[in-house]
Amino acid sequence: MPWLVALALLVVPIVEIFVIIQVGQVIGGWPTVGLLIIESALGAWLVKREGRRAWNALQSALQTGRMPGRELTDGALVLIGGTLLLTPGFVTDIFGFFFILPFTRPIARRALHSFLGRRVTSLTTNTPFSPFIPDPTQSRPAEPSDDVIQGEVIDPDKK
């Protein structure tokens, strides 16, 4: 996984520069700069609005005693989307808007839940505690055994 992050840090700026140059050749240099500024302003406004909505939803869930899973995921997606919108370029802005817009965020939320579910499952299957973690693929838990272990309880405080 760390090599994937390193590869992204190398490839994403190259792709962004290429796309900016291509857009600049089609619509001109100053209109490209203007479009990037307009995207940034719109993104900042959306991050502020959706961040406030996510925060209010989180507070509401906590006050009513509900588990705020969806609200926390929405907050994380707004944070990730805002970070992507801060990065200059068109490609990262597309992904940033995808994470922030209220009508595309449920798709991103499902993808994030799926990714994290697979990741947690893969991390917990190879631990010393694996026999004690329930298998999500099983339809019902394993039956308890009827084995009785004979022994004597020794209290160290009594002599």
Side-chain angles (χ1 to χ4, degrees), residues 1-8 115-116 119:
M1 188 65 121
W3 63 270
L4 186 62
V5 173
L7 183 66
F115 171 75
L116 290 177
R119 184 83 174 137

Side-chain angles (χ1 to χ4, degrees), residues 11-134:
V11 172
V12 169
I14 294 169
V15 170
E16 287 290 7
I17 291 170
F18 176 77
V19 170
I20 289 172
I21 289 171
Q22 295 302 313
V23 171
Q25 287 178 348
V26 172
I27 66 173
W30 288 113
T32 301
V33 171
L35 188 58
L36 285 169
I37 291 172
I38 289 170
E39 277 184 354
S40 295
L42 178 63
W45 177 77
L46 268 173
V47 167
K48 182 177 178 181
R49 188 186 88 174
E50 293 303 316
R52 185 176 298 128
R53 286 178 63 187
W55 179 254
N56 290 338
L58 176 64
Q59 285 182 329
S60 173
L62 291 174
Q63 288 173 354
T64 59
R66 288 188 301 111
M67 192 67 162
R70 178 176 174 242
E71 291 80 5
L72 288 172
T73 305
D74 280 352
L77 288 171
V78 169
L79 181 67
I80 294 168
T83 303
L84 289 172
L85 286 171
L86 284 175
T87 307
F90 294 111
V91 177
T92 52
D93 285 350
I94 290 170
F95 284 102
F97 283 123
F98 181 74
F99 290 156
I100 288 178
L101 292 172
F103 53 88
T104 57
R105 197 176 324 131
I107 300 167
R109 186 183 319 118
R110 280 192 296 274
L112 182 64
H113 281 197
S114 174
F115 171 75
L116 290 177
R118 285 192 313 271
R119 184 83 174 137
V120 167
T121 301
S122 70
L123 288 175
T124 57
T125 55
N126 298 326
T127 67
F129 303 106
S130 296
F132 305 108
I133 298 172

